[in-house]
Amino acid sequence: MDINYAFLATNILSILLTLGVPIALAVVLIRRYKVSWLVVVTGLLAFAAAQVMFYFTIRFLSGVLQNTALFQGNSIWALVLYALLIGALSAIFVELMRLAGVMLLKSKSKSFKSALGFGVGGGVFSGAVNSFFNGGIGLSILIYFFVAITFNPGAMLAKGVDTATVTSAMSQVQQIWGAPWDYGLVLGVESLIMLAAEIVLATFVWKSVAYGQGVWFAVAFLYRTLLIGGIYFLNMIGWKVWWIEAVLAAVLALNIYLIYTYWKEESAIEEDEEFAEIDDESDDEDFGIDDDDTDEIAEVIDQPDDDQKEKKAE
């Protein structure tokens, strides 16, 4: 068999983008920035639980909506409405589960870096999940790739498989190796885009808890609704995979900008808070005063007033 080495290389790169990048980010956040591993794991579990609920919900709703007059004509407005419904359902499950995770680990998620941890945890399999719910092109290509690299006709013949079956399998594997080389990148690119999106969405949810401002959760809900709904809509109207990825590349650029901006803003706030704490402690140390000393000084200051009151009473 002829191996398409370009296709082989792009699939390996795709695996690194899909799993290597989020795992590396998680390690950096945990080791360097002291984000609790529970935060990352909770982000992963919250995302996984939300996708299970989302899957069974859209299966039920799809069966119901197909029998309605609105969705039988396949009008463009019906597709838009259905895409927005899918996006809203995804937002309900994912962002509510993420909110529950942030609130559950509130004591371990005071720092902005923990928001990144929640996002990285949720983004580990976000690309594969997005591919699964949108035709599965990237995910299918990766599965076919593993079939091709693990195919061993000699082992099949040794197990007693007839020659005709092995020959047919070889023909199918050769078709896999004949796929365009750039198809191997589809899942990796999707994963990178969705990872950045999950980090931004987790940041919005974290802000809603850290600052007690529900508007940030509303922003997360609306952002996810439009993002997931837009991807569904473009798939339903038949856009080619790389056309969709080109649109999402703009979303990726926006998300990277938001992550950078929030990193600078929140880091400056946390540095100011740490400096204020250190400054307060240093003032007390300069005068050799601690909390107990402060209480004693207050008692001494109040003592003359008490003595005067006693004299007046006499």
Side-chain angles (χ1 to χ4, degrees):
M1 290 185 298
D2 296 327
I3 296 177
N4 185 343
Y5 288 101
F7 183 67
L8 173 68
T10 53
N11 272 279
I12 294 174
L13 179 59
S14 188
I15 294 171
L16 293 175
L17 292 174
T18 302
L19 296 177
V21 172
I23 291 174
L25 287 176
V27 171
V28 170
L29 289 171
I30 293 171
R31 296 290 296 274
R32 181 174 179 179
Y33 295 103
K34 309 305 178 185
V35 174
S36 172
W37 64 269
L38 279 174
V39 169
V40 179
V41 173
T42 301
L44 171 62
L45 294 178
F47 184 82
Q51 294 305 322
V52 171
M53 293 184 285
F54 175 62
Y55 171 74
F56 286 107
T57 301
I58 61 172
R59 282 194 62 181
F60 171 75
L61 284 179
S62 296
V64 173
L65 294 175
Q66 284 177 357
N67 299 321
T68 62
L70 177 62
F71 291 95
Q72 286 181 346
N74 287 330
S75 69
I76 191 68
W77 294 113
L79 295 179
V80 170
L81 181 60
Y82 182 73
L84 290 176
L85 177 61
I86 294 297
L89 287 172
S90 176
I92 288 172
F93 291 121
V94 176
E95 303 312 327
L96 281 178
M97 288 298 294
R98 183 173 283 145
L99 177 64
V102 174
M103 295 180 69
L104 180 65
L105 297 179
K106 191 173 182 179
S107 61
K108 294 183 178 295
S109 56
K110 294 180 180 180
S111 170
F112 165 70
K113 310 302 187 301
S114 62
L116 305 183
F118 278 108
V120 169
V124 172
F125 298 112
S126 58
V129 169
N130 181 66
S131 177
F132 173 77
F133 284 114
N134 286 280
I137 295 177
L139 192 59
S140 297
I141 291 171
L142 186 63
I143 293 173
Y144 289 143
F145 170 71
F146 278 113
V147 170
I149 62 173
T150 57
F151 178 68
N152 188 337
M156 294 179 66
L157 291 172
K159 292 180 180 179
V161 179
D162 61 274
T163 305
T165 301
V166 174
T167 302
S168 176
M170 289 178 64
S171 177
Q172 293 175 2
V173 170
Q174 190 60 56
Q175 289 180 0
I176 296 173
W177 284 121
W181 66 270
D182 58 307
Y183 275 28
L185 287 172
V186 172
L187 184 60
V189 172
E190 287 182 355
S191 298
L192 198 61
I193 292 169
M194 295 308 299
L195 173 62
E198 295 300 335
I199 292 174
V200 170
L201 289 164
T203 300
F204 291 153
V205 174
W206 176 85
K207 280 177 170 285
S208 71
V209 176
Y211 296 111
Q213 298 175 347
V215 66
W216 284 109
F217 183 81
V219 171
F221 182 90
L222 180 61
Y223 192 177
R224 188 174 198 90
T225 298
L226 294 176
L227 176 62
I228 301 301
I231 295 172
Y232 264 80
F233 178 73
L234 294 177
N235 270 285
M236 288 188 294
I237 63 175
W239 273 38
K240 300 295 184 180
V241 61
W242 284 119
W243 294 359
I244 297 175
E245 302 305 332
V247 173
L248 293 179
V251 178
L252 174 62
L254 172 62
N255 288 333
I256 292 175
Y257 170 76
L258 290 174
I259 293 170
Y260 174 74
T261 301
Y262 291 142
W263 178 283
K264 287 183 62 178
E265 291 178 353
E266 297 297 334
S267 296
I269 292 172
E270 291 177 4
E271 287 177 2
D272 289 342
E273 291 175 349
E274 291 176 0
F275 178 78
E277 292 177 0
I278 294 172
D279 191 46
D280 290 340
E281 292 176 0
S282 63
D283 288 344
D284 290 342
E285 291 174 357
D286 289 341
F287 292 100
I289 299 174
D290 57 18
D291 291 339
D292 293 335
D293 293 335
T294 304
D295 294 338
E296 292 177 3
I297 292 171
E299 291 177 2
V300 172
I301 293 173
D302 293 338
Q303 188 66 38
D305 293 338
D306 294 339
D307 294 340
Q308 290 178 4
K309 291 178 181 178
E310 291 177 1
K311 289 180 181 179
K312 288 181 180 180
E314 292 175 356

